[in-house]
Amino acid sequence: IFVDEAAIARIESNVVVGNLGDPGLGAIAIDGRAGGASPEVRSYASVVGNTIVGNAGGGVGVQDAHAIVIDNVFWDNGPTDLAVAAGGAATQALFVDYNRIAPGVLGGGDAGTTVTLGPHNVQLAPVFEDAANGDYRLVVGSPLIDAGAAVFSAVFDYPGAATTPPALDFAGQPR
């Protein structure tokens, strides 16, 4: 899943499994437009309620973007569950809470990066119904059941971010 070029996205309720992905950005890549540091060149994304498993290039990656990552199950993603790519032109921010993430998996970033790990992330094994056959539902009794956020409403509060679509599309036609 690729969010690119100053886009705004909500990635919700997906099972993302077995992708190769770029080792710097992962199976879900949130990438802004290179070549400037102003808010309008960033991408903004909420990644909510997904199961992100067995992706060789990693789970979620951010470059020139801001992302809110809430209530996801990350499992067996290499090299990292979460990454912030170094060398981006715009400031980057990643807020992560109520997720199952592996310890020490946050990689990358540089001086323009803000990473906030909330207090509700857990490192417990998810215990899937039948992962070998593609069933990634949590079994009854899994320690992750009821460990997530009850309600989440994505609100982007970034100065300069366009959080509502413009009245006209790129061709000048009304939306």
Side-chain angles (χ1 to χ4, degrees):
I1 298 173
F2 192 43
V3 178
D4 194 22
E5 297 298 325
I8 298 172
R10 182 174 173 116
I11 302 165
E12 183 174 12
S13 301
N14 297 284
V15 177
V16 183
V17 178
N19 295 283
L20 296 177
D22 183 322
L25 287 177
I28 298 176
I30 304 158
D31 186 20
R33 184 178 304 139
S38 63
E40 65 271 8
V41 302
R42 293 185 197 105
S43 287
Y44 299 86
S46 297
V47 180
V48 182
N50 300 283
T51 301
I52 303 163
V53 178
N55 297 290
V60 172
V62 174
Q63 181 172 11
D64 293 331
H66 288 203
I68 299 170
V69 181
I70 301 283
D71 210 13
N72 300 282
V73 175
F74 293 90
W75 185 254
D76 195 27
N77 295 296
T80 62
D81 283 340
L82 304 165
V84 180
T91 60
Q92 307 169 122
L94 182 61
F95 176 81
V96 182
D97 204 6
Y98 290 99
N99 298 283
R100 188 282 163 208
I101 56 176
V105 296
L106 187 62
D110 53 24
T113 300
T114 301
V115 176
T116 304
L117 295 175
H120 306 102
N121 294 303
V122 297
Q123 298 174 358
L124 306 167
V127 192
F128 297 119
E129 283 285 343
D130 187 3
N133 290 305
D135 187 347
Y136 293 97
R137 294 174 298 155
L138 297 174
V139 300
V140 173
S142 169
L144 297 186
I145 292 177
D146 295 329
V151 176
F152 173 73
S153 176
V155 176
F156 291 110
D157 187 18
Y158 301 115
T163 57
T164 57
L168 303 176
D169 65 16
F170 286 117
Q173 299 299 312
R175 291 183 179 255

